[in-house]
Amino acid sequence: MSTIDRRGFIRSAGGLALALGAGVGVGACATPVGRAAPGSVVVIGGGFGGATAAKYLKKWEPRLEVTLVERNQNFVSCPISNLVLAGVKRIEDITLAYDGLARYGVRLVRDEAVAIDVDKREVRLAKGDPLPWDRLVVAPGIDFLYEQIPGLNNADARQQVLHAWKAGAQTVALRKRLEELPDGGVFAISIPKAPYRCPPGPYERASVVAHYFKQHKPRSKVLILDGNPEITSKKALFLQAWEERYKGIIEYRPDSVLQDFDVRANVGKFEFESVRAELFNVIPPQRSGLIASPFANVGGRWAGVDFRSFESTAVPGVHLIGDAIATAPGMPKSGFMANNHAKVAADAVIASLTGLEPNPTPIIANTCYSFVSDRDVVHVASIHKFDTQENTLLPVKGAGGLSAVANDLEGKYALAWARNIWADALT
C-alpha cells in the first residue's frame, strides 16, 4: 500500500518523519463510506498547529465539517524569521498562503475569535455569525504578559520597543532598525524566564545579528540579558559558536530578569542594574493566547491537556495544541511540536466523533534547527512517547540528540525542513 492509516501514523515516530520529509500520503480510515457526516469541528488559529489540525481532520475523515478561523491574511513562519532580521531572507520568503487547505475541503473563515461559549458550543467572532461545533481545537499560540513590565504596558510603548516574537510586521520593523543602528551601537535582547515560545530562538537571534554586525557594523555589540540562570537550549553549541565566531561582539549576562522599562531613556531596569542600549529587543513573558483563557488552568498561564488526545483538562470537548499548552517534561514550545500535537489531536477528535477510543500510547517527535551564522546550523532532536504510569508524554531515552558542531550541511537540512513543514501544514 502507498498509504498508512491515521492510527499507524500516530503510533510511529518514523511515520511522522516520513510524512514530513517525504510527503507520504495518509489514508482516511475513520468510518465506513456512506455514513452521515460524523460532526463539525472548529479550529481556532492557523499557525503550525491549527493549520495542520484542520488539514489532517479533513484528510483522515473527509466527511467532517471543518472550519478554520484565522484573522491574518497569510501564514508567516516564526522559524527562519531570524534570518530576515539578519538580512539573509526576506519576509516574502517565509510568507505563505492558506489556499492549499481548500482542496481538502477546509472552510477558511478570515475573522477573529473573540469568545468561546462552551455551554452553547459556539465560537463568537468579531465580525461574523457564531460558529457551532461538536469538537473544538484551539491553537492560539502565545500572548504577552506586559503587566509584568509596567513601562511597556501601553500601545505606544509596544510600538517603540519591539518583540518580533510573532513573525510579521515587527520582524520587518526590527530589521529596519538594525540597518539604521550606527556602527558601534549596542543591540540588547531581553529574554524572559522559561517557559516561552522557541527556547533556542533568542540565542539564534543573537548569533545571526552578530553575524550581520561582523560583516557590516564591526564596532557594534550584541548584549544578551537572559532572565534564566543559563542558556535554555543547545548551551554548549551556542557558547562554542560565540567564542569562535563572535568573541568581543556578543556579551551574555544570565539571571537578568527585566522588571521595568523606561521608553524615553531606552533603559531596561533589572534587579541589580539598569541597562541602556541604542536598540532594545524585549521578548516579554508569555502565556497562552487570550482566547484560551477559559482553559488556562496551569498557573493561570497555560492550558492543561490530556497528552493522549490534547483534550483540555478543564473543559471536555475542547482540544488545545501548540505553544498555548502546559508542556510535558522535556517538550519545547516549537513549530514542529505544534505540528505533531495537531496530528494526535486530529486522530483523537475523529475517534471521539466516530465512537472509538483515542490511541492510548501516541509517539511524537521534535527537531529544532538554529542558525549560528548565515548558513551554519546546529540542531536538537527528541522523541516523546506516552507513559501510562506517569500519565504524560516523556522523552525516549537514547533517542534524538544534538549536533556535534555547527556546519553548513545542517543549514541545508534546516531550510529543507522548513519547506517540508510548511507544505505539510498548508498544502
Side-chain angles (χ1 to χ4, degrees):
M1 294 177 65
S2 62
T3 61
I4 57 176
D5 68 24
R6 60 186 177 88
R7 285 304 170 86
F9 183 96
I10 295 299
R11 288 193 178 101
S12 168
L16 288 167
L18 281 171
L20 189 56
V24 174
V26 182
C29 304
T31 56
V33 174
R35 284 178 53 183
S40 63
V41 183
V42 174
V43 181
I44 298 175
F48 281 99
T52 302
K55 171 183 169 178
Y56 277 90
L57 282 163
K58 285 295 288 185
K59 186 170 184 175
W60 285 338
E61 179 45 271
R63 288 166 298 118
L64 277 177
E65 297 176 2
V66 178
T67 301
L68 174 63
V69 180
E70 171 53 48
R71 63 190 172 193
N72 294 319
Q73 185 67 27
N74 293 303
F75 173 99
V76 185
S77 177
C78 285
I80 311 298
S81 66
N82 280 333
L83 293 187
V84 177
L85 294 181
V88 177
K89 296 287 185 183
R90 302 170 302 150
I91 197 70
E92 292 82 6
D93 297 326
I94 62 170
T95 301
L96 298 97
Y98 287 103
D99 299 350
L101 296 177
R103 72 185 182 94
Y104 297 95
V106 175
R107 177 192 174 203
L108 179 60
V109 173
R110 297 192 182 280
D111 205 337
E112 181 170 6
V114 294
I116 297 169
D117 189 324
V118 295
D119 295 323
K120 292 184 177 180
R121 293 202 163 197
E122 288 183 342
V123 174
R124 293 204 291 272
L125 304 177
K127 296 178 289 186
D129 294 332
L131 297 173
W133 48 269
D134 296 305
R135 285 272 162 167
L136 178 65
V137 178
V138 185
I142 50 98
D143 275 314
F144 299 114
L145 294 167
Y146 276 111
E147 59 269 26
Q148 295 186 13
I149 313 171
L152 297 181
N153 199 19
N154 64 82
D156 289 342
R158 295 174 202 173
Q159 288 300 313
Q160 294 184 59
V161 182
L162 304 176
H163 55 76
W165 216 237
K166 295 182 179 183
Q170 285 212 6
T171 310
V172 176
L174 186 55
R175 169 58 188 172
K176 186 172 185 295
R177 294 187 191 182
L178 284 165
E179 291 177 312
E180 294 170 346
L181 184 73
D183 189 12
V186 174
F187 173 62
I189 304 175
S190 172
I191 305 172
K193 282 188 175 182
Y196 58 84
R197 165 181 281 177
C198 189
Y203 313 110
E204 177 191 61
R205 179 169 292 183
S207 302
V208 296
V209 170
H211 175 81
Y212 167 67
F213 284 170
K214 188 174 181 179
Q215 304 299 315
H216 302 284
K217 301 177 190 288
R219 296 190 297 114
S220 288
K221 310 293 183 186
V222 177
L223 175 60
I224 305 171
L225 298 158
D226 194 346
N228 300 284
E230 61 181 3
I231 295 169
T232 58
S233 178
K234 308 173 193 169
K235 175 182 175 181
L237 290 166
F238 279 118
L239 289 176
Q240 180 183 14
W242 297 346
E243 174 67 21
E244 293 177 355
R245 300 164 187 259
Y246 309 121
K247 193 170 186 177
I249 299 176
I250 292 179
E251 179 184 348
Y252 176 75
R253 298 182 192 174
D255 292 313
S256 297
V257 179
L258 183 63
Q259 298 180 334
D260 204 351
F261 197 90
D262 184 333
V263 176
R264 290 187 178 182
N266 216 32
V267 170
K269 299 179 180 180
F270 301 84
E271 184 176 4
F272 300 110
E273 63 177 340
S274 292
V275 177
R276 185 187 182 282
E278 282 72 23
L279 179 58
F280 248 102
N281 172 211
V282 173
I283 304 168
Q286 294 157 33
R287 53 153 296 153
S288 61
L290 291 177
I291 191 65
S293 295
F295 320 109
N297 59 345
V298 179
R301 292 175 61 183
W302 308 107
V305 298
D306 179 339
F307 286 102
R308 292 167 296 184
S309 62
F310 288 84
E311 187 169 3
S312 169
T313 56
V315 179
V318 178
H319 302 253
L320 295 108
I321 57 177
D323 295 340
I325 71 166
T327 55
M331 177 185 290
K333 295 182 183 294
S334 72
F336 201 173
M337 269 298 172
N339 173 273
N340 280 211
H341 297 172
K343 292 168 184 173
V344 177
D347 174 76
V349 167
I350 293 168
S352 70
L353 293 174
T354 54
L356 302 175
E357 290 295 322
N359 179 9
T361 55
I363 301 173
I364 62 176
N366 182 69
T367 302
C368 178
Y369 294 97
S370 297
F371 283 80
V372 298
S373 72
D374 60 336
R375 62 181 63 189
D376 292 335
V377 166
V378 296
H379 85 275
V380 62
S382 57
I383 296 174
H384 306 251
K385 182 178 181 179
F386 189 82
D387 185 294
T388 53
Q389 291 186 331
E390 297 292 332
N391 198 36
T392 189
L393 283 161
L394 293 178
V396 176
K397 293 181 180 179
L402 285 162
S403 303
V405 67
N407 61 85
D408 62 352
L409 179 59
E410 288 208 34
K412 295 181 176 68
Y413 292 159
L415 295 176
W417 170 87
R419 292 191 297 269
N420 285 337
I421 198 169
W422 297 338
D424 188 58
L426 296 164
T427 63

